[in-house]
Amino acid sequence: MNYQSTRGGAERVSAAQAIKQGLASDGGLFLPEELPHFAEGELEKIGKMDYPHRAAHILAKFLTDYTEAELLADCTQAYGESRFPGGAAPIADYSDSVKILELWHGPTCAFKDMALQIMPRLLSRALTKTGERRTALILVATSGDTGKAALEGYRDIPGVKIQVFYPVDGVSKIQKRQMATQEGANVQVCAIRGNFDHAQNGVKRLFADRELADELNGDKVFLSSANSINWGRLAPQIVYYVSAYCDMVSQGTLAMGEALTVCVPTGNFGNIFAAFLAKQMGLPIGRLICASNQNNVLTDFLKTGVYDRNREFYTTISPSMDILISSNLERLLYLLGGAEQTAGYMAALTEQGKYEISAHLKARIAEHFVGGFSTEEQTRATIHEAFGNGYLCDTHTAVALHCALNDQKENPGEKILVVSTASPYKFAASVLSSISDKIPADEFDAIDALERTSNTKAPAPLAALWNKTVRFDGVIDAHEMRDAVLDFARS
Ligand SMILES: *Cc1c(COP(=O)(O)O)cnc(C)c1O
C-alpha cells in the first residue's frame, strides 16, 4: 500500500517512508491510496482477539511494508499489561444506551498514549526499512500533555532520541513533575524561561536552521517531530473504534451490524477522523458527533461550511481542545472532496485564515458528521451530573458527554459511544471544583481531595509521581536551545 498527499503532489511513498517523513513534500498530509475493507465475518474474528492482536491485525492492512510478526511484537509491547494495566481500551457503562470508551489507562493517563506508545516503535523500524543510518532526534515543544506522552513513548527506543522543551511557568505542577522525573537513557527535558510561544518558536527556528542540520548531519543525527499529523500516530487510533464495537457486540449492547453513534471530544480532528476511517472500512458507525469546547470553530464549520480561525481564543478547563486550526480536517476534505479543492482551501487558510467549502462537499460531510459544543458552565454541570450518576469524568470527556446526552434527546433510542480522553485525575482541580465546593491549594492537594471526595483511586502513574527522582531541573533561555540540542545530540 502506498501513500499520497492530500494536496495532489505526485509523490508516492511506502508506509515506512510516510512515517519517517511526517509531512508530504507539497505540504500536504499522507493518506493511503486506497482504504482497506473488512471482509465478511472479519469483525467476528477480530472480536475474539486480545487488544495487541487486534491492533496488529488492523495495522497490517495499512503498513504493508511491516511484517505481521514485527507489528505483533510492537503492539504487544505498546499495549500489553505493563503499559496498560487496566486494559488498553476498556468500555465503562454510563447508561443502557450510552457507553464510555476509556482511552487513558496508559502511562501518562491521557489518550495520546494510544498513539504515542506505538508510533515510536513504528518509526524506529521505518529508519531501518528506509536504510537510514542516522539517529532521529525528536524535538518537541509542549504546553503539557503531549510532551510527557511523547517522552514515555520514545524512551529507550533504538535509533531515536527525544528532547522536550516546555515553558517553565506555562505548565501545571503535575505536568512539570511528570517531565522532570522522566526515565530513559535517550531522553532530555529542558525548561525554557518564557511562555509556550517562546518554546514553540524556538523549536520552529531549530527545524528551519540549515547550518544546525549540517552540523547534526556530521554527527549522524537528523531532526524529526512527533506531530499529531503523522500517519504513524493516526493509524493506531483506528484500532480502538473497531475494538470497542466488537466489545459492545460481545457485551450484548449492540447486534452485529447495528449502527453506533460515536461522540469524540475534538481538538486537532485526529481522534474523530480515525473513527471516520474505521467507518469507511466498513465498521457500522452511524453518525459521528464532533464535540468542541468554547473554541467551537468546528461546530461552526459543520453548520455553515465556513472554516474561520479569525476569532477569539479561549483558555478553557479542557485545554487539550483549545485549538483554532484542526490540522487533520485536511484529510477529511481530501477524502470527500479531492486534492485540488483541498489544496485551494488550505492556501486560503494560510492566506486569510479562512475558507468556505462547496455546497456539495458540505453535504457529503453532513452525511457523516454533526457538530456540538459545550460551554464551560455546561462542562462543569455535566461533570457534576455524571458524578451523581456514578461516573467520574474529566473535563474533555465531559464536553463529549454533554454533546452526546443532548443528541440523544433528539434521537431517543440511539446507542452512543462517548470517547473519554483523559483520567479525571489528570485535571483533578477542575473536576474537584465541579463536584464539590472545595478549592484545593494546588493540584497535588486536588488529587488527594478528589480521592476522598469521589471515593475513587488516582491512577498509579500519577500517585507514584512524588516518590520519583527529579532528573531534569535546569532552566535555560530560548537562545540557548540550539546549544542544548547540539550537546544532547553529541551525548
Ligand atoms: C489531544 C486531546 C484531545 C483532542 O484530540 P484530537 O485528536 O486533537 O482531536 C482531547 N482530549 C485530550 C485529553 C487530549 O489530550
Side-chain angles (χ1 to χ4, degrees), residues 194-210:
N195 57 30
F196 175 62
D197 285 338
H198 293 112
Q200 189 171 44
N201 289 334
V203 165
K204 278 190 187 156
R205 264 200 311 277
L206 296 176
F207 276 118
D209 186 335
R210 288 287 169 87

Side-chain angles (χ1 to χ4, degrees), residues 109-112 145-146 228 233 237 264-272 298 320-321 323 328 394 396-397 420-422 427:
C109 310
F111 107 100
K112 301 282 190 292
D145 284 346
T146 304
S228 76
R233 274 186 68 173
Q237 300 189 330
V264 186
T266 295
N268 216 0
F269 209 78
N271 199 355
I272 196 167
L298 285 167
S320 302
M321 299 160 68
I323 285 176
N328 270 299
D394 97 292
H396 304 77
T397 308
S420 174
T421 49
F427 300 92

Side-chain angles (χ1 to χ4, degrees), residues 27-41:
L29 313 187
F30 284 119
L31 271 175
E33 279 182 307
E34 222 176 297
L35 289 178
H37 290 275
F38 293 116
E40 185 75 35

Side-chain angles (χ1 to χ4, degrees), residues 184-381:
N186 62 339
V187 309
Q188 195 183 63
V189 178
C190 298
I192 301 289
R193 275 180 212 99
N195 57 30
F196 175 62
D197 285 338
H198 293 112
Q200 189 171 44
N201 289 334
V203 165
K204 278 190 187 156
R205 264 200 311 277
L206 296 176
F207 276 118
D209 186 335
R210 288 287 169 87
E211 280 169 34
L212 176 66
D214 286 343
E215 282 181 66
L216 290 171
N217 200 29
D219 294 311
K220 295 211 169 333
V221 174
F222 71 101
L223 297 180
S224 181
S225 79
N227 242 316
S228 76
I229 49 181
N230 192 301
W231 177 249
R233 274 186 68 173
L234 197 56
Q237 300 189 330
I238 299 169
V239 176
Y240 46 75
Y241 290 105
V242 181
S243 175
Y245 190 92
C246 293
D247 286 344
M248 289 175 81
V249 169
S250 31
Q251 289 163 8
T253 308
L254 289 175
M256 182 56 86
E258 189 181 346
L260 174 66
T261 299
V262 174
C263 180
V264 186
T266 295
N268 216 0
F269 209 78
N271 199 355
I272 196 167
F273 182 71
F276 175 72
L277 288 179
K279 179 177 183 182
Q280 296 301 95
M281 292 169 72
L283 193 71
I285 289 177
R287 288 175 319 135
L288 291 156
I289 304 174
C290 175
S292 302
N293 65 20
Q294 202 178 353
N295 294 296
N296 54 1
V297 59
L298 285 167
T299 320
D300 288 349
F301 169 71
L302 291 169
K303 194 161 31 174
T304 64
V306 176
Y307 194 100
D308 188 355
R309 62 152 303 180
N310 306 305
R311 56 174 67 216
E312 195 171 340
F313 176 81
Y314 299 99
T315 301
T316 73
I317 55 171
S318 46
S320 302
M321 299 160 68
D322 291 345
I323 285 176
L324 290 182
I325 296 194
S326 301
S327 318
N328 270 299
L329 186 60
E330 176 171 352
R331 287 189 157 107
L332 181 71
L333 301 177
Y334 168 78
L335 278 189
L336 297 182
E340 199 177 321
Q341 280 190 58
T342 304
Y345 298 146
M346 291 304 113
L349 182 63
T350 307
E351 282 152 30
Q352 293 122 40
K354 180 177 168 170
Y355 59 88
E356 177 167 13
I357 58 172
S358 69
H360 176 71
L361 179 53
K362 179 170 178 271
R364 289 208 65 193
I365 293 175
E367 287 168 22
H368 304 279
F369 290 87
V370 288
F373 75 99
S374 177
T375 65
E376 295 289 271
E377 202 180 320
Q378 288 167 333
T379 303
R380 288 185 181 279

Side-chain angles (χ1 to χ4, degrees), residues 20 27 49 65 70 91 215-216 270 303 314 353 379 384 412 455:
K20 176 176 145 184
M49 303 174 184
D65 46 342
E70 288 172 336
I91 294 171
E215 282 181 66
L216 290 171
K303 194 161 31 174
Y314 299 99
T379 303
H384 191 268
N455 208 12

